[in-house]
Amino acid sequence: MASVKLIGGRPSPFVNRVQIALNLKSIDYEFLLERFGSKSDLLLKLNPIHKKIPVLIHDDKPICESLVIVQYIDEIWTSGPSILPSDPYDRATAQFWAACIDEKCVPNLRTLRVAKGEKEKSEASNQLIEMLVLLEEVFVKCSEGGKGFFGGDRIGYLDIALGSFLGWLKAVEKLAGVKLLDREKMPELVGWAERFCADDAVQGVVPDAEELLEFAKNFVLKAQPPN
């Protein structure tokens, strides 16, 4: 039996974060699929506070919350490539921007996905684009010297935090009819996104836009009350 297990679902970018971190460290794990629309007894037992995926189980001990799990993986499996920066300032900066992604990008991405009126759509897309433009500036600072990722020459903590949402960014662009990751406004970020998705640790983990659009369609159908 694997000593590492992950409770999750494929469409979840938060689960994808953990999968990418495990792949970067070359850690074998058992994936425990959590079905959409239901919560297993195991999930409720191991994450009784938030009752959400992902949950990492390591040696029968649960760890919850995606960014916490990524940091845990980095600290436990030190033989693999480092995920968080070793410099305290760089580490704090990466953690700050990762938190901003969850606090600023994620709510607007969710709002945009289900927006009905043009005003709601416009406000959410404008706020999301503003945040992406800021992240373009952060990337330029982090990649001085021509480095390909926020983490330097390889994928790191902030890359994982943002990159896990690239599939949903592309899906929501199609759903809402807006352009979010714009090559003219944020050329460096667009180039970074292409490199991130092409990395071996990411391929096959982050679903593409079409798969997520199908999931979103089923989500809406299941959320509708019966006639």
Side-chain angles (χ1 to χ4, degrees), residues 20-32:
I20 293 166
L22 290 168
N23 287 347
L24 286 171
K25 296 284 189 174
S26 300
I27 301 166
D28 292 328
Y29 65 96
E30 180 181 355
F31 191 71
L32 305 178

Side-chain angles (χ1 to χ4, degrees), residues 34-190:
E34 190 73 12
R35 296 292 180 185
F36 168 71
S38 64
K39 297 182 186 294
S40 66
D41 291 340
L42 183 62
L43 174 64
L44 296 175
K45 175 185 176 182
L46 297 182
N47 191 0
I49 303 299
H50 298 298
K51 304 178 177 65
K52 293 180 179 180
I53 53 176
V55 177
L56 184 76
I57 308 169
H58 178 219
D59 290 337
D60 296 323
K61 295 178 290 188
I63 306 95
C64 305
E65 296 297 302
S66 64
L67 292 177
V68 173
I69 297 172
V70 170
Q71 183 167 343
Y72 176 87
I73 289 169
D74 195 37
E75 292 175 352
I76 291 293
W77 286 279
T78 56
S79 59
S82 296
I83 294 174
L84 278 98
S86 57
D87 178 80
Y89 178 78
D90 291 342
R91 177 184 290 246
T93 299
Q95 290 172 322
F96 170 82
W97 284 107
C100 284
I101 289 166
D102 283 0
E103 293 169 6
K104 303 292 184 181
C105 291
V106 175
N108 283 308
L109 194 60
R110 286 173 175 161
T111 298
L112 195 52
R113 190 182 71 189
V114 298
K116 301 299 182 183
E118 287 300 318
K119 181 180 179 182
E120 186 181 23
K121 182 190 297 185
S122 177
E123 288 178 352
S125 61
N126 287 340
Q127 290 177 31
L128 190 49
I129 290 169
E130 286 177 9
M131 199 47 205
L132 290 171
V133 169
L134 282 174
L135 287 165
E136 165 93 353
E137 296 174 4
V138 173
F139 177 78
V140 170
K141 291 178 181 177
C142 290
S143 62
E144 289 181 0
K147 295 178 180 179
F149 299 98
F150 286 95
D153 294 321
R154 62 183 64 178
I155 288 175
Y157 185 75
L158 188 50
D159 298 283
I160 294 172
L162 180 60
S164 60
F165 284 94
L166 287 172
W168 276 111
L169 275 171
K170 295 173 184 176
V172 169
E173 283 182 334
K174 294 185 177 184
L175 273 173
V178 298
K179 189 64 177 175
L180 299 172
L181 207 56
D182 192 324
R183 193 176 293 273
E184 291 187 6
K185 293 180 179 178
M186 49 204 86
E188 296 296 331
L189 208 57
V190 170

Side-chain angles (χ1 to χ4, degrees), residues 191-205:
W192 160 82
E194 293 169 353
R195 288 188 294 275
F196 180 86
C197 291
D199 193 273
D200 290 343
V202 178
Q203 287 189 346
V205 173

